[in-house]
Structure formats: structure tokens, C-alpha cells
């Protein structure tokens, strides 16, 4: 890997590993819907001019049906439920649970009529990943947080389904255009949602929360996507997917060092099993993995 590739890889690993920390800070004072609105709206403001300059918005809008589906399953629902879940779960646990996205991707491929021919190594990966999730949910997460775990399940499914939609119906569309339009669309959806649910803050949030929202929008959303595009151009899409195994580690370290979150034996066991399972389930596929086209911020497969 070139020096530029190493720098891009490290920067993207950090940009996609720290969102969980900043979401945890943001939802301490803001409604989850307000966090998503501010994050998606600011990121869209940054990326839309670039997409318009490159004439990438109209081609995306012409494919509005799959674009709408992608926006809902990749941003609207996952970002809301992730923010909601982090009101209960440690940020490190949320980041680690999302490492199970490749496992969900196998099931999504099967349901969409594109089952992948799995080798014995792939099946071993599925088993190890399931054991890792079981260790986290059954032994590392308190019973009172099971609803938050269910919310994380929605996030995992959404992050697995979004790229599958891209791969089937929008693989020929420009990436920056897709992300810019989807972020803008998510912001439009959340404006009435926040107003109707009373999510507008009654007072200006603290400096820490404002900074958290700005980092989520600028660094973890807009900049992260540009870094991903640069990384893929530098080292190729296959090598770029190894960023999957860096993000959860960054999330755990950030949660422990900044927020003082605990790390138990089962956190470590779950971390090793989930990441090893995710690695094996995506290794030596006979068919190309479904949906490695666009990676959302804080996603643990190729947000």
C-alpha cells in the first residue's frame, strides 16, 4: 500500500469508528430524530454543491424509486434507530454489533433471489459471528437493554439491504450523487417528523453536543464518503473492504478512553468472534459479495 493509501485508510478507519462516540454525546441532550436531521442536513449541504457541479444529481433523481428505498433503509431508519439505541447501549457495543452486517448480507442475498454459494469457511464464519453476537447480547448486555438491541437489529438489516438495492438497481449511478441525494432526502423526511414528535430542542444544546453533531455531519458523513472514494481509487474496492475490521476496534477504544465505558471479558470474546466471523463469511466467495458499492458513514462493512 502506498503512503497515500495508508493515510486514507487510517483516516477512514477513524472517521467510521468514532460516530458511535459522538452519537452517544449528541443524544444525551437531543432527540434522536433531531440528531439525524442535523447530521443529514449539514452533510447534504456540504455534498450537494459538489454533486451538482459534477452533474450527478439529475441521473440519480431519475431513478427515484430505488433511490427512495435506499434512502429509507440505509439512512432514515438505521440512523434513527442507531441514535435511539445509543440512549441505552454503550457506544462501543453499538459499534461492535454492527460488525455483524456481513452476516445479514448473506441472508439478504438469499431473500432477494441471489443466494451465494458458500464454502465451508463461509459457513464457519456465519457460525462464529452468531456466537459472537450471542456473547454480546446474552452475556454482555443487560436485560433492560434488549429493546435497544432490537433497534440495532433494524440497523444491521438496513445496512445490509441498502447496498443490495444499489447493486441491483443503481450500480451505474455516480456515488457522490447517490449519497448527496440520499442525505438531502433523509433531511426532508425528518423535518416534519421532528416537528410532529416535539423533537425540536427548547434550548440551545451544550458546546459538547454542538461539536458532536458537527463532527457527525462533517467528518463522519461528508468527509468519510470522500475519503472512501479516494481510498477505493488508490487501493481498489477489494482491499478497501478491510476497513470493516478497523471500525469496531476504533469504536471500542474511543468509548473506553473518552466515555469511560467498561470492557468485559464477553466484550472481548464477542469482538473477536464477530470480526472473525465477518472476515470468514466474506472470504473466498464464489460469487461477488452483494453490495459493496457505497458505504455509509459508521457502517461496519465496505457507514
Amino acid at each position: 500500500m502506498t503512503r497515500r493509501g495508508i493515510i486514507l485508510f487510517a483516516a477512514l478507519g477513524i472517521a467510521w469508528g468514532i460516530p458511535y462516540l459522538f452519537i452517544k454525546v449528541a443524544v444525551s441532550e437531543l432527540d434522536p430524530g433531531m440528531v439525524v436531521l442535523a447530521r443529514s442536513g449539514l452533510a447534504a449541504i456540504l455534498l450537494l454543491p459538489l454533486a451538482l457541479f459534477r452533474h450527478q444529481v439529475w441521473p440519480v433523481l431519475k431513478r427515484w424509486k430505488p433511490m427512495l428505498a435506499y434512502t429509507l433503509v440505509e439512512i432514515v431508519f438505521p440512523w434513527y434507530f442507531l441514535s435511539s439505541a445509543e440512549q441505552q447501549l454503550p457506544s462501543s457495543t453499538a459499534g461492535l454489533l454492527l460488525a455483524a452486517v456481513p452476516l445479514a448480507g448473506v441472508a439478504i442475498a438469499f431473500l432477494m433471489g441471489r443466494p451465494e454459494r458458500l464454502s465451508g469457511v463461509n459457513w464457519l464464519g456465519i457460525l462464529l459471528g452468531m456466537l459472537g453476537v450471542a456473547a454480546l447480547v446474552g452475556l454482555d448486555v443487560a436485560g433492560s437493554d434488549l429493546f435497544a438491541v432490537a433497534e440495532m437489529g433494524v440497523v444491521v438489516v438496513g445496512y445490509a439491504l441498502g447496498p443490495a438495492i444499489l447493486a441491483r438497481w443503481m450500480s451505474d449511478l455516480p456515488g457522490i450523487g447517490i449519497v448527496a441525494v440520499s442525505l438531502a432526502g433523509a433531511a426532508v423526511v425528518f423535518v416534519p417528523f421532528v416537528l410532529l414528535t416535539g423533537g425540536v430542542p427548547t434550548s440551545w444544546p451544550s458546546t459538547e453536543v454542538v461539536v458532536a453533531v458537527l463532527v457527525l455531519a462533517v467528518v463522519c458523513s461528508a468527509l468519510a464518503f470522500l475519503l472512501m472514494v479516494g481510498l477505493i481509487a488508490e487501493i481498489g474496492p477489494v482491499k478497501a473492504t478491510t476497513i470493516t475490521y478497523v471500525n469496531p476496534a476504533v469504536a471500542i477504544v474511543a468509548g473506553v478512553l473518552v466515555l469511560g465505558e467498561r470492557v468485559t471479558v464477553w466484550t472481548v470474546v464477542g469482538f473477536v468472534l464477530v470480526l472473525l466471523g465477518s472476515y470468514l463469511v466474506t472470504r473466498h466467495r464464489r460469487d461477488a459479495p452483494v453490495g459493496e458499492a457505497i458505504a455509509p458513514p459508521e457502517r461496519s462493512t465496505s457507514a
Side-chain angles (χ1 to χ4, degrees):
M1 190 182 295
T2 64
R3 177 179 295 182
R4 183 172 185 271
I6 293 174
I7 294 174
L8 288 171
F9 188 90
L12 186 59
I14 294 172
W16 278 351
I18 61 174
Y20 313 98
L21 163 66
F22 288 103
I23 290 173
K24 187 73 174 178
V25 173
V27 296
S28 65
E29 296 181 21
L30 297 177
D31 179 81
M34 187 64 213
V35 173
V36 179
L37 171 58
R39 178 184 181 182
S40 58
L42 290 173
I45 290 172
L46 294 174
L47 287 180
L48 269 177
L50 178 60
L52 288 168
F53 177 76
R54 294 186 174 187
H55 305 288
Q56 295 183 356
V57 172
W58 179 242
V60 172
L61 292 176
K62 288 196 295 184
R63 210 83 58 86
W64 68 271
K65 289 183 179 179
M67 190 64 226
L68 175 60
Y70 171 80
T71 300
L72 291 174
V73 304
E74 188 74 22
I75 296 182
V76 172
F77 294 124
W79 282 17
Y80 177 80
F81 283 113
L82 175 59
S83 299
S84 177
E86 286 210 42
Q87 291 180 313
Q88 303 297 327
L89 293 177
S91 65
S92 55
T93 301
L96 185 48
L97 286 173
L98 284 183
V101 170
L103 307 178
V106 175
I108 293 296
F110 178 81
L111 293 174
M112 293 185 69
R114 299 177 61 183
E116 307 208 16
R117 295 189 290 273
L118 303 178
S119 66
V121 171
N122 300 146
W123 282 111
L124 176 61
I126 292 175
L127 176 61
L128 291 176
M130 292 174 64
L131 289 175
V133 172
L136 287 170
V137 174
L139 301 170
D140 194 42
V141 177
S144 60
D145 296 333
L146 290 182
F147 181 76
V149 172
E151 291 182 305
M152 290 303 302
V154 175
V155 181
V156 168
V157 172
Y159 279 173
L161 182 57
I165 293 174
L166 282 178
R168 174 166 291 193
W169 290 289
M170 297 187 293
S171 60
D172 58 321
L173 295 179
I176 292 179
I178 290 175
V179 173
V181 171
S182 62
L183 287 169
V188 169
V189 169
F190 273 97
V191 167
F193 178 82
V194 169
L195 292 175
L196 292 174
T197 58
V200 179
T202 55
S203 60
W204 189 257
S206 66
T207 301
E208 291 79 6
V209 171
V210 172
V211 171
V213 172
L214 289 174
V215 171
L216 285 169
V218 178
V219 177
C220 305
S221 301
L223 178 61
F225 179 75
L226 297 178
L227 288 172
M228 188 204 71
V229 172
L231 182 64
I232 290 176
E234 185 70 21
I235 68 175
V238 176
K239 289 183 180 179
T241 60
T242 57
I243 200 75
T244 298
Y245 313 109
V246 177
N247 303 339
V250 174
I252 291 176
V253 172
V256 171
L257 294 181
V258 180
L259 299 178
E261 296 176 347
R262 66 187 180 93
V263 174
T264 68
V265 173
W266 293 113
T267 303
V268 177
V269 171
F271 173 79
V272 173
L273 290 177
V274 170
L275 263 67
L276 180 59
S278 295
Y279 171 73
L280 294 178
V281 83
T282 56
R283 186 171 177 80
H284 298 309
R285 294 280 185 83
R286 295 176 187 172
D287 294 337
V290 173
E292 292 181 350
I294 300 293
E298 91 270 335
R299 175 174 168 182
S300 295
T301 56
S302 66

